Amino acid sequence: DQQVKQNSPSLSVQEGRISILNCDYTNSMFDYFLWYKKYPAEGPTFLISISSIKDKNEDGRFTVFLNKSAKHLSLHIVPSQPGDSAVYFCAALRGSQGNLIFGKGTKLSVKP
Amino acid sequence: DARVTQTPRHKVTEMGQEVTMRCQPILGHNTVFWYRQTMMQGLELLAYFRNRAPLDDSGMPKDRFSAEMPDATLATLKIQPSEPRDSAVYFCASGSRVLNTGELFFGEGSRLTVL
């Protein structure tokens, strides 16, 4: 039973356009949601997070939106750059358990 | 430059052999996670420790996998006996504020191939 779902295995976007990566979750008890970015042959690196009490968090070109009623979050990258090409993992945290659960990832390709 | 260090980076072994993967978390981090990445399951949680105590290892096949933290600077993941379906990249990650923010620092992974 997957608690964090990324239903799009891949996404292709033109450089300069917006990339939107989506994530759904099933457990309403999650406290934090995070996005991690992973390049080939490297470990994932933290990108941006959002508390469950917020609906938006912005950091430069990256914005995460949280819709609690729909149990849905999304990562927006504007403008997209070729260096953003990577696998993006959505993750959710239950603070009381300290257990960070990841989705299966979405591979983003930004074409020049 | 603090980072999580994993060894070995690559391991090829034959079915039935014992495999031990090691992780040195970032100094001062009190939480250590082991994840396995496969094409089908993405990043799958195997086990995690806080202050060296195991908190959850429900993601591990108990009959063949074991995870320990002999001290604060070393975490180990052992597979005995290994099977071809164990082939994956195994990541160790550590953090100091995981309960509050979920932010983890990952190692570069150990790629295991079991023939």
Side-chain angles (χ1 to χ4, degrees), chain A residues 12-19 80-81 109-112:
Chain A
S12 183
V13 172
Q14 205 68 31
E15 181 180 6
R17 305 297 291 269
I18 183 171
S19 296
S80 302
Q81 299 174 354
S109 299
V110 180
K111 301 189 184 308

Side-chain angles (χ1 to χ4, degrees), chain B residues 7-8 19-23 34 75-79 90 110 112:
Chain B
T7 57
V19 175
T20 298
M21 289 167 274
R22 293 175 173 81
C23 168
W34 282 104
T76 62
L77 181 66
K78 186 178 296 186
I79 309 174
Y90 291 80
S110 294
L112 173 65

Side-chain angles (χ1 to χ4, degrees), chain A residues 2-15:
Chain A
Q2 252 195 311
Q3 297 187 59
V4 178
K5 301 178 185 178
Q6 294 177 259
N7 293 319
S8 298
S10 63
L11 174 68
S12 183
V13 172
Q14 205 68 31
E15 181 180 6

